[in-house]
Amino acid sequence: MKLASIKHGRDGRLVVVSRDLSRCVAVPGIAPTLQDALDRWEQVAPRLAEIAAALDNGELSGSLPFVAADCAAPLPRAYLFADGSAFLSHVELVRRARGADMPAELYQTPLMYQGDSGGWLAPTAPIPWRDAAWGLDFEGEVAAITGDLPAGCDELTAATGIRLLMLVNDVSLRGLIPAELARGFGFYQSKPASSASPVAVTPDELGDAWHDGRVQLPLEVTLNGKPFGHPHASAMHFSFPQLIAHAARTRPLVAGSIIGSGTVSNADPSVGEACIAERRMREHQADGTPHTPWLMPGDKVRFDMRGSDGQSVFGAIEQQVAAC
């Protein structure tokens, strides 16, 4: 099934969305918000699934047109956003860009940082821009939303805790990252609020495109209306169960925790990129200097992922950069 949060108050109003993203229906009698649904998932998920089936079969009266611009992020504020870096070609490129080595342990243990989770940007909200020196960049990702999971859970348990999947634009300030990392305490100012796709979907909604704890689909990225990349999300070195178990190694995860895949990236440069930093690094390798600029006010970015039927799975993230 597909779920979304229509803008309403701080936490949105939960709606069930049709498979083709054309219709939706609010379900206040079942769960007023997505967080409430996640808190009571075993109780409410079967009822939500019944609504979804009736909506898809045209058997439900009272549905309304689904409009992505009316949506907040699926979880407008979440208890946790822990972002991994499961695509090692991305790790290699961005570390090389700042002169850092690729230690062997990064192939066995995923990188992960804790990002801003208190105010997710809506899928069509402007991306704030404040200073050209900050190097505003986009990063297209896939993310999992979990149920409650105990500390120290193994990968099998982690897999059973995946409730929903969605797309993410992990906004980054590349100009601030090197100094923050050099101080030895990780990202903070360089990682402002991220945005999410209009819709989050249960893994079974993907059919054969959900396999081995990975989404088996390419991510379509455009910048200012031109194709920027279509890297395949199946290239994750670490699966979502591995990332989730890593995040839960020393602490429990509460329902509504968001675990990101990191920037979708492929070693093959012909498929393009899902962030500007990778493009600039490849330009530097080829030409001796990068020439794709960081985002500036007026730039437009778009992320989408289509199933085998050609239909959008999550709805598109479509944002324009705006000076603050």
Side-chain angles (χ1 to χ4, degrees):
M1 62 185 162
K2 300 190 175 188
L3 304 174
S5 295
I6 300 300
K7 294 173 185 175
H8 177 76
R10 299 188 70 179
D11 297 310
R13 177 184 290 116
L14 178 63
V15 295
V16 178
V17 183
S18 62
R19 183 168 287 118
D20 65 1
L21 304 181
S22 67
R23 309 290 295 177
C24 67
V25 62
V27 286
I30 299 176
T33 67
L34 180 55
Q35 183 61 55
D36 180 62
L38 291 164
D39 288 339
R40 301 183 295 116
W41 190 255
E42 286 77 12
Q43 174 188 346
V44 305
R47 298 171 66 191
L48 293 173
E50 289 177 2
I51 296 291
L55 187 60
D56 286 332
N57 293 332
E59 300 168 353
L60 194 67
S61 61
S63 67
L64 297 171
F66 178 69
V67 181
D70 294 339
C71 291
L75 281 174
R77 51 178 176 167
Y79 286 109
L80 172 71
F81 174 38
D83 198 17
S85 199
F87 295 88
L88 295 190
S89 58
H90 174 76
V91 179
E92 292 167 353
L93 281 168
V94 296
R95 289 181 70 88
R96 195 180 306 156
R98 61 175 186 263
D101 295 329
M102 186 71 175
E105 60 263 28
L106 294 187
Y107 294 91
Q108 283 79 47
T109 304
L111 291 168
M112 186 168 283
Y113 79 93
Q114 187 167 333
D116 179 15
S117 61
W120 282 77
L121 298 176
T124 58
I127 302 173
W129 180 97
R130 292 179 174 86
D131 190 328
W134 290 1
L136 181 63
D137 196 1
F138 56 80
E139 296 190 64
E141 306 188 5
V142 184
I145 301 175
T146 77
D148 290 310
L149 287 167
C153 68
D154 59 21
E155 292 174 24
L156 289 176
T157 303
T160 66
I162 298 173
R163 300 289 184 248
L164 298 162
L165 300 161
M166 65 182 186
L167 300 183
V168 166
N169 175 17
D170 176 37
V171 179
S172 297
L173 302 174
R174 300 294 185 185
L176 301 184
I177 288 176
E180 283 205 293
L181 294 182
R183 290 192 289 270
F185 216 48
F187 300 130
Y188 186 78
Q189 292 178 338
S190 52
K191 291 290 187 175
S194 297
S195 55
S197 54
V199 171
V201 311
T202 50
D204 65 296
E205 188 72 29
L206 294 169
D208 292 340
W210 175 248
H211 175 67
D212 196 28
R214 298 165 172 84
V215 176
Q216 308 286 325
L217 295 169
L219 177 66
E220 300 173 7
V221 185
T222 62
L223 175 61
N224 294 325
K226 298 179 181 179
F228 195 87
H230 54 278
H232 210 283
S234 63
M236 289 174 72
H237 182 78
F238 301 103
S239 68
F240 274 112
Q242 288 175 305
L243 292 176
I244 292 166
H246 178 77
R249 183 184 180 193
T250 62
R251 63 173 96 172
L253 300 183
V254 298
S257 295
I258 299 172
I259 308 298
S261 69
T263 307
V264 178
S265 175
N266 296 170
D268 178 4
S270 69
V271 302
E273 296 83 23
C275 71
I276 294 174
E278 282 193 26
R279 174 69 57 88
R280 287 170 61 90
M281 186 58 200
R282 284 175 168 151
E283 290 168 346
H284 185 271
Q285 291 174 328
D287 307 327
T289 185
H291 49 80
T292 298
W294 302 116
L295 294 174
M296 295 293 288
D299 284 336
K300 297 178 181 180
V301 297
R302 187 178 192 276
F303 305 90
D304 202 357
M305 186 172 277
R306 300 179 189 277
S308 58
D309 59 1
Q311 298 293 314
S312 178
V313 176
F314 306 95
I317 299 174
E318 298 186 84
Q319 299 181 275
Q320 185 167 7
V321 179
C324 296

